[in-house]
Amino acid sequence: MQRLANKRIVLGITGGVAAYKSADLVRRLQDQGAEVRVVMTRGSQQFITPLTLQALSGNPVSTDLLDPAAEAAMGHIELARWADLVMVAPATADFMARLAHGHAGDLLTTLCLATEARLVLAPAMNQAMWRNPATQRNRELLGERGVELLGPGDGVQACGDMGPGRMLEVVDLVDGVCGLLPSLLLAGKRVLITAGPTREALDPVRYLSNHSSGKMGYALAEAARQAGAEVVVVSGPVSLGCATAIRRIDVDSALSMYDAVHREVADADLFIACAAVADYRPATVQPHKIKKDAAVQEDSLQLSLVRNPDIVASVAALAARPFVVGFAAETRDVVGYAADKRVRKGLDLIVANDVAAQGIGFNSDENAVTVLGKGLEQSFAQASKSVLARSLIELFARQMGSNQN
Ligand code: C5P
């Protein structure tokens, strides 16, 4: 079986002696069914020629950001969008440093910055350079942003040193890539996700809301897209962008989120309710700005609130329903409350997170969660929301699959 059938891989080659292995890497990726396009830095061309890579990949090799002919054929942004995965092998210490700090001074760094595809590096460098705290910090920074590192391996180096820094062997790199693209687990599936907060209007200028940033929902949307799904996000007001391939429906109140979800849900296979929906809304929205009444000198104002519909429970109650996943933000007895919520709302899975814990949850870039289902309790350690989202999507896809069996 070809494990990379129809996958589009951009292979970036930077200037290290391990570049000679990249020629074989192209072939072995192709053996698994991948289409490969090669981008070379100036340094890499001292080790291996573009002509070799062009002949092996069957595609023109891109080397220059400012080459009008190459840009006319497939420009760097087009290449960034084309890729399902961008792999840089070998990745030198210099390349890692430039990538970690967002440089875009050549074609490869620009492409890495512009792509929304999975980014994988195979570091290759002298052992002392690898161990250097600067490189280690760059490795951490890249990891935090969801960049995957394959290797380096340990052993004898081209310079005669022994230690970590060798580029992994080609077969291990191919294996690693296959593992990272665990086929398109959601290919052909439609995923509907709610994300962000809702705003419940009091009058034309004021509203009730919460601190949800939408980051977890958007990370899930991106992970679902990368897993091959057609994704629709029903989003409360957030300051986030998403890939053009994701259809985004902007809403504000819980009622408008409810309506949008029910318009979209009919052909969804998976519904993920990640939004922090306000439980209550003002009973009436005043047509004009509520005034402080100077004559009466009231020190308090009574608001009357009414219950909002529970969107995720209403989807779970549909006769023809998708696989339904909810979230539970709790501050104590996280697993206990979440388990109860899952049953009460009729959900297939619930993702529980402790919003009282430092550095995770609302508004943070990281999260740590426990997923509960019937006979399932799986915890995921603290990680960036994008890394976590990939693991969650993988779990949801597998659970959906076993549900159908
Ligand atoms: O009951 P609670 O708000 O804690 O439940 C959280 C889960 O329910 C989340 O998945 C959230 O998106 C969903 N929810 C909803 N509609 C509501 C309230 C919560 O879909 N009105």
Side-chain angles (χ1 to χ4, degrees):
M1 189 188 72
Q2 288 188 313
R3 296 164 74 199
L4 297 173
N6 305 321
K7 292 284 159 43
R8 300 190 293 200
I9 298 179
V10 167
L11 175 64
I13 307 178
T14 69
V17 63
Y20 79 93
K21 295 186 190 171
S22 308
D24 190 34
L25 181 56
V26 171
R27 273 286 197 247
R28 302 290 81 86
L29 291 170
Q30 288 172 330
D31 287 348
Q32 293 297 334
E35 189 181 343
V36 183
R37 285 179 176 268
V38 176
V39 174
M40 298 180 74
T41 62
R42 193 186 298 260
S44 72
Q45 296 167 50
Q46 302 293 321
F47 294 92
I48 186 167
T49 69
L51 193 60
T52 307
L53 276 311
Q54 180 173 315
L56 290 171
S57 69
N59 284 313
V61 171
S62 310
T63 54
D64 197 349
L65 185 58
L66 305 173
D67 173 357
E71 281 293 297
M74 191 186 253
H76 61 284
I77 298 295
E78 221 176 324
L79 205 52
R81 288 197 188 126
W82 173 87
D84 294 312
L85 180 133
V86 176
M87 177 176 203
V88 181
T92 59
D94 175 66
F95 179 78
M96 285 178 63
R98 288 187 291 129
L99 189 63
H101 296 282
H103 288 221
D106 65 2
L107 177 60
L108 189 56
T109 44
T110 305
L111 191 138
C112 288
L113 212 55
T115 194
E116 286 171 348
R118 201 85 196 256
L119 202 48
V120 189
L121 309 185
M125 67 198 71
N126 165 270
Q127 54 84 22
M129 291 171 76
W130 173 255
R131 284 193 232 261
N132 189 294
T135 307
Q136 288 305 306
R137 182 67 194 120
N138 291 334
R139 176 184 66 80
E140 280 167 20
L141 271 175
L142 292 167
E144 283 162 16
R145 296 195 197 123
V147 177
E148 204 73 44
L149 261 67
L150 297 175
D154 229 292
V156 184
Q157 305 205 298
C159 54
D161 277 8
M162 278 285 285
R166 282 170 58 89
M167 184 163 95
L168 287 190
E169 295 307 323
V170 167
V171 353
D172 297 323
L173 291 178
V174 173
D175 216 42
V177 170
C178 291
L180 287 173
L181 285 174
S183 63
L184 297 178
L185 278 174
L186 290 176
K189 302 283 184 208
R190 231 180 140 246
V191 178
L192 180 62
I193 302 178
T194 63
T198 62
R199 280 182 186 170
E200 310 299 326
L202 282 160
D203 65 20
V205 293
R206 303 184 181 95
Y207 55 81
L208 303 176
S209 190
N210 59 64
H211 290 297
S212 169
S213 62
K215 285 176 187 166
M216 193 66 231
Y218 275 63
L220 284 163
E222 177 56 22
R225 180 191 77 81
Q226 287 184 14
E230 191 189 319
V231 183
V232 178
V233 178
V234 177
S235 175
V238 296
S239 48
L240 298 172
C242 61
T244 45
I246 294 173
R247 188 153 66 86
R248 168 174 165 170
I249 300 170
D250 287 308
V251 296
D252 53 8
S253 64
L255 288 180
S256 61
M257 185 173 276
Y258 178 96
D259 288 344
V261 164
H262 282 276
R263 272 197 310 273
E264 293 292 329
V265 77
D267 49 357
D269 300 289
L270 168 62
F271 175 60
I272 306 173
C274 200
V277 184
D279 290 325
Y280 294 91
R281 66 180 183 278
T284 49
V285 181
Q286 298 303 322
H288 298 289
K289 188 178 169 193
I290 303 167
K291 292 292 197 196
K292 288 189 285 292
D293 194 331
V296 180
Q297 287 284 322
E298 290 276 13
D299 281 337
S300 64
L301 171 73
Q302 299 285 333
L303 288 179
S304 174
L305 303 177
V306 292
R307 193 75 179 251
N308 272 324
D310 190 311
I311 301 170
V312 74
S314 71
V315 169
L318 292 172
R321 83 206 250 296
F323 190 86
V324 181
V325 180
F327 273 69
E330 305 289 348
T331 52
R332 64 194 167 98
D333 188 14
V334 176
V335 168
Y337 281 123
D340 179 59
K341 200 169 280 183
R342 185 187 80 79
V343 175
R344 195 161 25 87
K345 297 192 184 215
L347 313 178
D348 294 297
L349 297 176
I350 195 155
V351 182
N353 69 325
D354 183 349
V355 284
Q358 284 288 318
I360 60 171
F362 270 3
N363 240 328
S364 154
D365 288 327
E366 301 216 326
N367 213 349
V369 300
T370 301
V371 182
L372 305 170
K374 200 170 174 199
L376 173 87
E377 179 173 336
Q378 189 168 336
S379 293
F380 293 87
Q382 183 165 343
S384 73
K385 286 182 174 172
S386 57
V387 169
L388 190 63
R390 282 191 205 121
S391 308
L392 289 176
I393 287 293
E394 209 170 310
L395 176 67
F396 301 164
R398 293 197 197 289
Q399 291 292 315
M400 278 170 78
S402 56
N403 231 32
Q404 280 159 8
N405 296 333

